[in-house]
Amino acid sequence: MEDADSVATLLETTTSKIQQLQKAFAELESQRAVTLNLKWKQIEEHFHGLEKSLKRRFTELEDQEKDFEMKTVRAQQVIEKRRAVVMAKEESSLVRLQVKRDAAVTTISKTLGRNKNGDAQFVDEKPLDAVDSEAMKSLFEDGDVKLLTNPELAKFCEEMDAGGLHKFISDNRKNIASIKEEIPIALKAASDPGGLVLDSLCGFYVSEGSIIDGKKDANLLGLRRTCIMLMECLSVLLTNLDANTVSKVISVNVKDRAKIIAQEWKPKLDELDLDASNGNSLEAHAFLQLVATFGIDSDFVHDDLSKLIPMVCRRQQTADLCRFLGLSDKMPGVIDVLVNNGRHIDAVNLAFAFELTEQFCPVTLLKTYLAEAVKVPSTVKAGNASPTAQNDVSERELSALKAAIKCIEEHKFEHRYPLEPLQKRIIQLEKAKADKKRATEVVKPQSKRPRANGVAAGYGQRNTNISPDQNFYATRYAPPTQYMYDNRPPYAYPGPPENHVHTFVGTPTYNIAPNQGNYFGNGYQYQAPYLH
């Protein structure tokens, strides 16, 4: 700006300079000895032209400077915005990095424990059962076992009573949260924590058909959840121990027992149905937890383990189990399996858990999921769908919309997939459902209170062929019965005329004019519905 001001000042003094030059030129012309061909007018025009040219260039430079300043301001604003975005991403990355760091530390500690355990196989073949119980307890003397709010847990662990531990947990399901927090501490009182947990698995499969029956048996479901919880608590205990202690808790003997149990469970998993499990299979979860807790994953192929992930993908512990077992690189294939089976919500959850949203776009997956939900099954011909089939499609769409909204809210990507259109569609479907329900209730006839003889109170069988004046007799006299016309003694009711048909099935014998009712020879009127 200082240079521009100095240039502007010089331009303003141009006129005075030209006047001074004019005086000097006049003085020079008066003193000249030789006549000059130049005239002052020409020189003046030349300098005025230079002045105009300089002013024009100066104005252009000022305009360019203003444009440059505006662009600089806009660039700074863009830089500030990008800086804010980068800072937010850095903070988010730091949080994720911290989570991964914690998971890595846990994995490394467990891996070190398994390696130490593997080395112990050659150094110390002495089984854990032969180790003195008092010496084993001394490894865990931290003083925190005495502070348990449920001291019975420590008692059952100290006595190695797996059955009593199961029963105590089952009887105190209301306090399951506090119990789960204290079990890792209580396991320190056991002489063989790993063996105690393995003992607790003996009732997981009660029979050959337990996979099917277990889905209906509430007691067996509770027992299986307890088995999984005990293995998880043992993993928590192992995480907080040093490598030497871990190698003693999960000794060679305990690991061999865990391998035998896993080999027994593996064939049973082949009978599981992927669709029937619905991503919440306790059997598959227990198997993966057994392999992870006791460090026997090296005995199984990772491809076989990854095939079980779709059966447990809705359980909270799935992501941690997959990372611990080293199955993270198998997740793209697992997500493909879920998508091909129409389980797009589970696919979105795994994509977020393993940061695969760029490869599997959540918005695209949810849109495909909602589009599949409104499709009429191929078994129903197009344009000929029954009301029941239409209701099924509406219910399926309603459930899909609610599941999609829940998924979007959980993973917080409303900015990519707005909720408002989905919520409006839910309101439309629920209103249509309520309207259909009200219409059905209006059409549905009112039920009559039955009487002891099976006829509704205040109402009798109705014959529309009987005139109003004849209904008086129809409502007061019972219709004739079969025994009136059987071969009876003389004191019985008189029999029918000879031309009367003895069976009551068919049309009446007498041809009476319409709306005159049906009559027998005895003069009594009867109603047609009683004939059937």
Side-chain angles (χ1 to χ4, degrees), residues 173-284:
R173 282 284 174 187
K174 294 182 179 179
N175 302 323
I176 193 66
S178 62
I179 289 176
K180 187 174 182 179
E181 291 179 357
E182 294 184 349
I183 287 178
I185 303 173
L187 286 173
K188 295 180 180 182
S191 59
D192 183 5
L196 176 62
V197 173
L198 289 178
D199 291 341
S200 69
L201 305 179
C202 63
F204 194 88
Y205 288 106
V206 294
S207 65
E208 292 298 328
S210 61
I211 292 180
I212 299 175
D213 298 336
K215 298 183 183 301
K216 299 179 181 180
D217 189 345
N219 293 329
L220 184 57
L221 286 175
L223 182 143
R224 288 178 172 176
R225 291 192 181 97
T226 302
C227 291
I228 294 173
M229 185 183 71
L230 289 174
M231 288 189 287
E232 291 173 348
C233 292
L234 180 60
S235 297
V236 174
L237 173 63
L238 297 176
T239 303
N240 296 322
L241 298 178
D242 58 86
N244 292 329
T245 307
V246 170
S247 64
K248 294 180 180 179
V249 175
I250 306 296
S251 64
V252 177
N253 183 36
V254 171
K255 182 172 283 193
D256 290 340
R257 286 182 59 193
K259 290 179 181 178
I260 294 173
I261 295 175
Q263 293 295 343
E264 292 176 354
W265 286 6
K266 184 66 171 63
K268 299 179 184 294
L269 298 177
D270 298 334
E271 304 174 17
L272 293 176
D273 185 5
L274 176 61
D275 296 330
S277 64
N278 200 26
N280 196 27
S281 171
L282 292 176
E283 297 89 341

